[in-house]
Amino acid sequence: MDLRYAPEDEAFRAQVRTWLEKEAPAHGAPPPGDDWPARRAYDTAWQRVLHDAGFAGLHWPAGFGGRGLPATQQLVYLEEYARASAPYIGVNFVGLMHAGPTLIAEGSDAQRAFHLPRILRGESVWCQGFSEPHAGSDLASLRARAERSGDEYVVTGQKIWSTRAQVADYCELLVRTDASAPKHQGITWLILDMHQPGVTVRPMRTIDGESHFCEVFLDGARVPVENRVGAENDGWRIANVTLRFERGTAFAQHIIGMRSAVLRLAALARSRRSARGTAWDDLRGRIGRISASVEALWSLTQMCVTEAERTGIPSPLGSAVKLRYSELSQEITGLTLRVIGRPILGAGDFAGLRTAEAVRDYLWSFQTTIAAGTSQIQRNLIAQRILGMPKSR
Ligand SMILES: Cc1cc2nc3c(=O)[nH]c(=O)nc-3n(C[C@H](O)[C@H](O)[C@H](O)COP(=O)(O)OP(=O)(O)OC[C@H]3O[C@@H](n4cnc5c(N)ncnc54)[C@H](O)[C@@H]3O)c2cc1C
């Protein structure tokens, strides 16, 4: 494997860098954390700017609003994006990172033609309706059911942990369509329109004081049959395609973002006094190891992304990427708090240190070993699907 970029990739890098240096700061600061309508407006407006400049859906098919560029240029773009600290498009993480890619891999032509350009132009926002109160790690136990009524499915049940569902237009929804079949064989993947009477969204408050995710109650919600992705009862296979994107490629931007976080940590350590001189004198070995781990993980991510370009869907290697990403992210944010020391106890910033942000990042990092499948589940998948070990009884 040759991890070096070709001259045309480097030329693309120069173009991206110049554009981002000018445009990213011009978009201004993001709105306050818990103002979701404002966050939606901010994120989708930036998505539109990217789209109009030709930087949306770089590796998505050109026929559906993408650029059809090679994966290497997608990677270069992510490196430059992180370097410029360009706005993070959180509200449409689902649409851009796994619903859109699932439609590219498994959707009908009509679904692709309708949804993909809207996602790329920032016109529609998606959420994920997979987990339920009794179906998280054991997702195939889900109970929300859809019954066929003419040309529609009528959906009843409850979803939970649906990230940013309070501002979503569509939901990638898993439902049970055959209660008598073995649990993995009676599931269907539907595109749910969130703006209808049978859908109630209730935000939940999290440890950082924000409402990142929601409960979604479905009471007779309707989904036209043409909004089914794949065949009826083939939803488990399609859900696994979605999860492969979610674990294998969706975190790429977060992973490359850790490079800047380590540099900030190193600068912070140099500025904080300790008994031996500065925190850097105490911790440089550990920070060096973290930095090497981030670079190794980025190489693994590059492998996953380029492999997905060849095969259409990321491989189970994504579980290893996701697992390591979540561990490193917790290590970096935890060490940052340790270096700051006592000032983290205050509510606001202190002595020029962005303590409030550091505390928020630390608290937020707790979710990384749970979201998109817990670390225990990733370890099971690595054992079974990468190492070929038998399932435990
Ligand atoms: C930030 C965040 C965002 C999320 N966003 C969404 C979203 O948008 N849409 C959505 O549908 N879901 C979302 N989720 C839900 C997420 O997918 C689930 O939380 C996750 O799959 C775990 O399920 P659970 O919470 O029910 O835990 P459980 O499945 O109840 O697990 C509890 C504990 O038991 C362990 N465990 C369970 N089974 C096994 C096993 N077989 N072997 C070993 N250990 C096991 C788990 O690792 C965990 O430690 C999100 C979660 C988070 C944290």
Side-chain angles (χ1 to χ4, degrees), residues 128-131 135-138 160-163 213 364 367 370-374 376-377 380:
Q128 184 184 54
F130 281 17
S131 306
S137 301
D138 185 13
I160 194 166
W161 315 126
S162 292
T163 306
F213 26 52
W364 179 241
Q367 60 82 23
I370 305 171
T374 66
Q376 288 81 0
I377 295 302
N380 285 348

